[in-house]
Amino acid sequence: MTLPTIGWIGLGHMGAPMAANLAAAGYPLAAFNRTRETAAGLGLPLADSLEAVARQADVIVTMLGDDRAQEAVLFGKDGLAKYLREGQTVVNMGTMSPDLSRSTAERLGAKGVACLDAPVSGSVKQATDATLVILVGGDAAVLERVRPVLDKLGKKVVRFGDAGTGAQAKLAINLMLGIVMQGLAEAVVFGEACGLASETLIDAIAETPLASPVVAIKLAAIRAGNFDAAFPLKHMAKDLRLASAEAHAAKAAIPATEVVRGSFELAVADGLGDLDVIGILQSLRKS
Ligand code: NAP
C-alpha cells in the first residue's frame, strides 16, 4: 500500500521528534520550518516553501506555537491555504484557540480541504516515544482517514466532536497542568522559606501519591537545577489565556486557573518565557 505524503510544518520542541517518527515509519515527508537553520540539522526531507509543501503533500500537519503563527502560516501572504487543493487534509496538532480551530475548518472547508484540530497531551519525551494522547475535533470520517498517521505519533487518539472540541479538551487538560506546576513550585518555595532542606522535601514529595509522571520529571529538573524547556513556560501562559477566554465564553468558573494565569504571565513579562514550565519556580524565588 502506498503511504500518503505528509507535509509537516513546524519543527520546534515537539514538531521535530513527531516528524521524525513519521519518517521512521516510512511516510514520505515534506517538512518545513520558518527558521531554515533549525530544520537543516534534523536529517528530515525538507521542502523549501509552503507552496512546495502544498504541492507535494496529501496530508499536512501543522505543529506551530500559537494562533498568530497558525494564522500566518495558513492565511498570511503566500500562506499555505493559497496553494491547497480540494481533497487535501490539514491536521493542526499545536494548541490553538477553539475559535481559530473552528474558523480554520470553515475557511479550508470552503476550498474542499478537510481539517482537524488534534492537539496533544504529553511533552518532548512522549513526542519522541510516540506515546502522546491526541485530542481530536472535526469530522469522524476525516479522522478515520488520517488515524493511521496519528497512530504513529501517539498511544491514544480521542475524538470529542466537531471542529474546536479537540482544542477545548486540550485547554481543559492544560489548565490542570498549569495549576499542578504552580502547586509544585509553591510547595518548594514554601519549604525553602521555612528553612526545610530542599533535597529532603523533594525526595519526600517524590514518594507521595502526588508524584505523577509529570511531577516526577519536574522534581528531577528542580533537583538538577535544570530549567531548559521541554514545554516552554510562554506556551503555558498562552494556554492559560486561551482557557480563561474559553471559560468566559462558556460561563465556566475556573478561579484557580485565573490566579495561575496571572503568575505565568508575570513570569513571561519578567523574561522567563523560554524556561521550561517548571521555571515558574524561578519566578516565585525572585518575588
Ligand atoms: P516551539 O518549540 O516554540 O516551536 C514553535 C514552532 O512554531 C517553531 O517551528 C516555530 O518556527 C514556529 N513558529 C512560531 N511562530 C511562527 C510564525 N509566525 N510563522 C511560522 N512559524 C512560526 O513549540 P513546541 O514546544 O514545539 O510547541 C508547539 C505547539 O504544541 C504549541 O502550541 C504548544 O503549546 C503545544 N504543545 C507543546 C508541548 C511541549 O511540551 N513543548 C506539549 C504539548 C503541546 P521557528 O523555528 O521559525 O521559530
Side-chain angles (χ1 to χ4, degrees):
M1 192 186 73
T2 315
L3 294 173
T5 297
I6 309 297
W8 192 284
I9 305 173
L11 296 164
H13 289 92
M14 296 292 283
M18 292 167 76
N21 281 336
L22 291 188
Y27 279 91
L29 211 63
F32 179 83
N33 196 63
R34 175 184 60 174
T35 308
R36 306 290 169 96
E37 304 80 71
T38 309
L42 296 173
L44 295 170
L46 300 177
D48 58 13
S49 66
L50 293 172
E51 181 182 1
V53 172
R55 204 171 46 240
Q56 294 173 50
D58 304 297
V59 175
I60 295 140
V61 181
T62 54
M63 193 54 177
L64 300 162
D66 58 15
D67 277 26
R68 196 142 53 135
Q70 184 78 5
E71 185 72 32
V73 163
L74 278 171
F75 303 109
K77 186 172 172 297
D78 269 336
L80 185 76
K82 181 171 162 190
Y83 304 106
L84 290 173
R85 302 177 303 277
E86 189 171 344
Q88 288 175 305
T89 302
V90 172
V91 182
N92 165 37
M93 302 194 78
T95 308
M96 306 296 153
S97 69
D99 272 353
L100 183 67
S101 306
R102 285 185 287 265
S103 82
T104 300
E106 269 172 34
R107 285 180 280 175
L108 295 184
K111 294 181 72 117
V113 174
C115 188
L116 296 176
D117 41 301
V120 302
S121 182
S123 190
V124 172
K125 181 177 188 320
Q126 290 76 19
T128 306
D129 299 346
T131 54
L132 295 164
V133 176
I134 302 172
L135 310 157
V136 179
D139 191 81
V142 175
L143 170 58
E144 289 321 306
R145 282 208 305 274
V146 299
R147 189 183 283 277
V149 177
L150 300 184
D151 282 343
K152 295 293 177 200
L153 300 172
K155 64 175 181 184
K156 180 103 186 148
V157 178
V158 191
R159 179 178 173 270
F160 287 85
D162 293 340
T165 56
Q168 287 170 327
K170 171 63 186 172
L171 295 181
I173 290 168
N174 263 30
L175 73 82
M176 185 173 152
L177 176 64
I179 292 169
V180 170
M181 291 297 102
Q182 179 78 22
L184 172 56
E186 290 191 13
V188 173
V189 283
F190 176 83
E192 288 170 353
C194 293
L196 302 181
S198 274
E199 282 284 317
T200 313
L201 180 60
I202 288 167
D203 289 348
I205 294 171
E207 294 302 322
T208 70
L210 289 167
S212 63
V214 67
V215 166
I217 287 171
K218 300 311 177 189
L219 282 170
I222 296 169
R223 205 181 271 119
N226 178 359
F227 298 98
D228 292 348
F231 178 37
L233 193 155
K234 64 185 176 193
H235 289 328
M236 185 80 250
K238 174 259 299 178
D239 293 354
L240 293 170
R241 255 192 320 274
L242 293 178
S244 172
E246 195 66 10
H248 188 73
K251 297 190 170 46
I254 54 167
T257 303
E258 295 298 352
V259 174
V260 172
R261 172 170 70 92
S263 173
F264 276 86
E265 287 191 337
L266 194 63
V268 172
D270 278 350
L272 303 180
D274 288 325
L275 294 184
D276 187 61
V277 60
I278 196 55
I280 195 65
L281 173 58
Q282 298 298 73
S283 176
L284 296 180
R285 279 174 172 159
K286 275 183 17 182
S287 58

